[in-house]
């Protein structure tokens, strides 16, 4: 495939069982490109390997004072020079093309996986690991793909030169044929230690990257509490660990490089010493000795490719394993049903027993904030995590609802249809989940609100319901073209140019514009003041009239405006009524909402 044809129409379905299988699959996808690189590599290296023949011919012609043979040798050298140049150019072009095509394929696979998982990706894999995979790991895997064709050409050429030397001059050729494989394998005992040190360096670098990303994301908070120096010290310490690990790794690889230089040099000395003795005895001609010397000197060139393939594989193997782990993350993609329209009706979670009535505003209060996040994820069609047991809500094992087999995660049901049984895109159209830390991508406000929508809710209505008037006024002052149009104002990555409350309200407006059949909001007003929160509650109730809305919150202002409030303890529904009724009849609910411990009962002591 040519670079101009990128991106790939379909990057394919990778084999992600292990890192090695992923590398093998990646190579199979580029057999044509690897064959092209191998061809030009053979042209280039065969031409270089053939140089000793006309050189030896020219030396012998000079010794014998044979002008025609000297002219023939000069012509052969010129022809080989052209082939060397052409082969080198085309080999480099083919190898770089293979590298770019492979990286582009992996980027498309990662983008597809990110789209499939959505916000659940960062809950299953650390942000630092995602950053490492999408940058450094792809570079290392691409390096291996690039080197592979050059290595294959070097291996074939080396074998051919050894065979030719044995045929040309059996005594010296046999020494070379036995010595070259030993040289190629000499560094193998050092590889395990070098690989361990390289893995340790990458692990420490990943932790430092994750620490840096967390620090940048929380910079505003750190400045507010004066914690910048503390985190700076932590990152400085992590950075020094990375430096020390890198130095230890570099020492081992420099030792391997030294071995790859020293041993071929010793072989060359041995061949020359033995060859001079043969020449003195008249058993070989001077031209033959020069030819063999030049051939052995050439073999030092492909041996460097053996070192490069060893190093690139050692670096790419753990990178491929990490990439395969990320690509192996999954969620139900294609359901068993092919419903043309999203289902509608009550939203039911069989794990917790929660039911959100269709067309009504339901509020959910969880005693455990983490349980609320897991519930929101599950309501969006993400199954409970298998790693480490249940997700804290229980119910990952046992009998299944909806006719599913035992032992599989319970699926949320919408209008009697399990979300696992409908295609992913249809499920996403039906249920939209806004988590407690929504992401605002960089771009203008107009770009932010340009999302797939039903068309029932306009942008102005959504902004008004989310109480974004002051946000729009603030953005209007910073519009890129001085037009005063807030829709043209640029918003930085993750909305870092906005306050927490402003980000939260713009994210809510984006969700309202989408106008899904079911909207799940996790703490949508935790960063706004009480007056604004009250107006948002009224606007949310008005704009979502006739639509199913579920809000995970402990705010009395939102709870008081809900049609029904459901209280969860230990992941299970323990109460369902209006806010005021639960305050009156449910002590645990009252303790969570009012943030006051339940008063203990006083018993009179009897003497």
């Amino acid at each position: 495939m040519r670079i101009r044809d990128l991106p790939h129409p379909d990057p394919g379905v990778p084999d992600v069982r292990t890192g090695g299988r992923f590398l093998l699959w990646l190579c199979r996808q580029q057999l044509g490109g690897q064959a092209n690189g191998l061809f030009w590599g053979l042209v280039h290296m065969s031409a270089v390997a053939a140089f000793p023949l006309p050189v030896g011919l020219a030396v012998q012609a000079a010794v014998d004072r044979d002008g025609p043979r000297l002219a023939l040798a000069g012509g052969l050298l010129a022809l080989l020079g052209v082939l060397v140049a052409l082969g080198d150019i085309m080999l480099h072009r083919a190898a770089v093309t293979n590298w770019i095509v492979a990286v582009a394929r992996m980027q498309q696979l990662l983008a597809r996986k990110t789209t499939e998982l959505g916000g659940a990706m960062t809950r299953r894999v650390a942000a630092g690991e995602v950053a490492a995979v999408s940058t450094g790991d792809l570079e290392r895997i691409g390096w291996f793909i690039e080197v592979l064709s050059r290595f294959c050409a070097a291996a074939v050429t080396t074998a051919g030169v050894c065979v030719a030397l044995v045929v040309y001059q059996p005594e010296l050729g046999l020494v070379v044929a036995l010595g070259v494989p030993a040289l190629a394998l000499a560094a193998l005992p050092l590889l395990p230690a070098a690989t361990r040190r390289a893995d340790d360096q990458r692990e420490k670098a990943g932790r430092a990257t994750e620490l840096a990303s967390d620090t940048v994301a929380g910079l505003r908070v750190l400045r507010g509490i004066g914690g910048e120096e503390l985190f700076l010290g932590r990152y400085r310490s992590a950075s020094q660990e990375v430096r020390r690990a890198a130095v230890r790794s570099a020492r081992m690889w420099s030792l391997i490089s030294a071995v790859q230089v020293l041993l071929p040099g010793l072989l060359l000395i041995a061949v020359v010493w033995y060859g001079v003795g043969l020449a003195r005895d008249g058993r070989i001609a001077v031209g033959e000795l020069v030819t063999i010397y030049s051939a052995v000197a050439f073999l030092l060139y492909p041996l460097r490719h053996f070192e490069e393939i060893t190093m690139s594989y050692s670096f790419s193997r753990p990178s491929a394993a990490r990439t395969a782990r990320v690509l192996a993350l999954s969620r139900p993609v294609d359901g068993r049903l092919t419903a043309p329209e999203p289902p509608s009706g009550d939203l039911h979670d069989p794990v917790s027993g929660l039911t959100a009535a269709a067309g009504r505003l339901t509020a959910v209060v969880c005693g455990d904030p983490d349980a609320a996040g897991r519930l929101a994820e599950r309501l969006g069609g993400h199954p409970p995590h298998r790693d480490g047991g249940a997700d804290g809500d229980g119910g990952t094992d046992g009998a299944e609802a909806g006719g599913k087999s035992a032992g599989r995660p319970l699926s949320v049901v919408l209008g009697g249809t399990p979300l696992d049984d409908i295609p992913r895109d249809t499920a996403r159209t039906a249920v939209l989940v806004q988590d407690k830390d929504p992401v605002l991508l960089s771009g203008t406000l107009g770009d932010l609100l340009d999302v797939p929508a039903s068309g029932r809710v306009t942008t102005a209505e959504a902004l008004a319901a989310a109480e974004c008037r002051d946000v729009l006024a603030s953005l209007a002052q910073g519009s890129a073209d001085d037009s005063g149009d807030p829709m043209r104002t640029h918003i930085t990555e993750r909305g870092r140019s906005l306050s927490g409350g402003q980000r939260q309200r713009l994210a809510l407006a984006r969700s309202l514009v989408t106008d899904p059949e079911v909207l799940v909001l996790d703490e949508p007003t935790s960063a706004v003041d009480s007056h604004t929160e009250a107006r948002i509650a009224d606007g949310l109730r008005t704009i979502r009239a006739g639509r199913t809305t579920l809000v995970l919150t402990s705010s009395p202002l939102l709870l008081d405006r809900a049609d029904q409030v459901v209280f969860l303890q230990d992941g299970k529904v323990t109460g369902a009524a209006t806010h005021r009724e639960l305050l009156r009849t449910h002590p645990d609910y009252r303790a969570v909402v009012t943030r006051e411990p339940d008063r203990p009962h006083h018993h009179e002591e009897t003497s």
Side-chain angles (χ1 to χ4, degrees), residues 353-412:
L354 168 69
T355 298
R360 303 184 70 190
L361 174 59
T362 302
V364 179
V365 178
C366 293
D368 180 8
D370 292 334
R374 291 191 293 267
L375 174 61
E377 181 180 350
R378 198 163 58 245
L379 292 174
H382 297 274
H385 295 178
R386 286 293 192 132
D387 50 323
D391 64 351
D393 296 338
T396 52
D397 296 304
E400 291 279 1
K404 292 194 172 186
S405 60
R408 293 182 58 193
L410 297 169
S411 173
V412 170

Side-chain angles (χ1 to χ4, degrees), residues 137-346:
D137 285 338
L138 297 194
E139 294 285 336
R140 295 184 184 97
I141 296 172
W143 179 27
F144 174 74
I145 297 298
E146 176 197 2
V147 171
L148 187 59
S149 58
R150 293 205 302 268
F151 164 73
C152 292
V156 172
T157 306
T158 299
V161 170
C162 289
V163 172
L165 286 177
V166 171
V167 174
Y168 181 71
Q169 179 49 250
E171 293 186 75
L172 278 177
L174 190 60
V175 174
V176 175
L178 294 176
V180 168
L183 295 181
L185 301 176
L188 288 182
L190 301 175
L191 284 181
T195 302
R196 284 195 301 270
R197 294 188 181 189
D199 290 345
D200 181 58
Q201 176 195 349
R202 280 189 291 272
E203 183 180 352
K204 285 180 168 58
R207 287 201 296 266
T209 301
E210 186 174 353
L211 179 60
S213 63
D214 290 344
T215 303
V216 171
L219 191 58
R220 185 190 299 269
V221 177
L222 291 176
R223 287 175 175 170
I225 63 176
E228 293 173 271
E229 288 301 323
L230 174 63
F231 273 80
L232 180 61
R234 290 180 180 177
Y235 181 75
R236 185 182 292 114
S237 175
S239 177
Q240 289 303 311
E241 289 185 9
V242 174
R243 180 188 63 79
R244 286 190 290 269
V247 170
R248 291 181 68 248
S249 178
R251 285 173 180 168
M252 183 57 68
W253 285 111
S254 64
L255 176 60
I256 292 176
S257 298
V259 169
Q260 293 291 326
V261 172
L262 174 64
L263 295 184
L266 293 177
L267 176 64
L268 186 61
I269 293 173
V271 168
V272 171
W273 176 80
Y274 184 57
V276 168
L278 294 177
R280 282 180 178 178
D281 296 340
R283 296 163 64 180
I284 62 172
V286 174
E288 291 177 324
L289 177 61
V290 172
T291 299
I292 294 175
Y293 168 81
S294 301
V296 175
F298 157 76
L299 290 176
L300 303 183
Y301 172 58
L303 281 176
R304 288 200 295 269
H305 291 83
F306 284 77
E307 176 190 353
E308 187 179 14
I309 192 68
T310 300
M311 184 179 296
S312 65
Y313 178 74
S314 298
F315 282 135
S316 65
R317 184 182 54 80
S319 295
R322 250 195 316 267
T323 305
R325 282 198 302 271
V326 173
L327 294 177
L329 298 175
S330 64
R331 59 157 293 173
V333 177
D334 295 314
R336 291 186 289 271
L337 305 178
T338 56
E341 296 294 333
S344 60
D346 294 348

Side-chain angles (χ1 to χ4, degrees), residues 93-107:
R93 180 187 178 95
V96 172
T97 298
N98 289 335
W99 178 81
I100 294 176
V101 170
V103 170
R105 186 184 302 276
M106 290 184 288
Q107 287 174 334

